[in-house]
Amino acid sequence: MSREVKENDMYVRVDTIIKDLQISKPLAYKLMKEMNDELRKKGYMVISGRVPRAYYQERFYGLGKI
């Protein structure tokens, strides 16, 4: 079952990372795990396989705190 990805979704999934960064699936999963680990260390609750869109954009595009 495919899922339509919307730009205003609160969370980013691996398929979005693959598309945005044009990387392999294993690398996208590795990056997802790293971001989840970073958030966990900061004290946030984490949903495996998902990262908040705002955090993803801050980490890869510098769109967070300017």
Side-chain angles (χ1 to χ4, degrees):
M1 177 166 70
S2 77
R3 179 187 179 294
E4 184 179 330
V5 177
K6 297 178 184 173
E7 287 300 314
N8 61 355
D9 283 350
M10 186 174 182
Y11 291 94
V12 170
R13 295 177 181 216
V14 170
D15 53 347
T16 302
I17 296 172
I18 292 168
K19 180 183 166 196
D20 289 352
L21 304 178
Q22 298 180 358
I23 58 175
S24 67
K25 198 173 200 175
L27 180 55
Y29 275 106
K30 180 182 175 195
L31 294 174
M32 176 72 69
K33 183 180 181 329
E34 287 179 16
M35 288 187 282
N36 278 331
D37 290 345
E38 291 169 1
L39 288 167
R40 196 172 282 116
K41 285 180 186 176
K42 290 181 177 185
Y44 292 102
M45 295 184 72
V46 173
I47 300 172
S48 295
R50 297 180 189 186
V51 174
R53 181 171 298 282
Y55 186 71
Y56 167 70
Q57 290 176 337
E58 177 184 329
R59 292 289 283 128
F60 285 95
Y61 303 111
L63 298 177
K65 301 170 188 168
I66 297 177

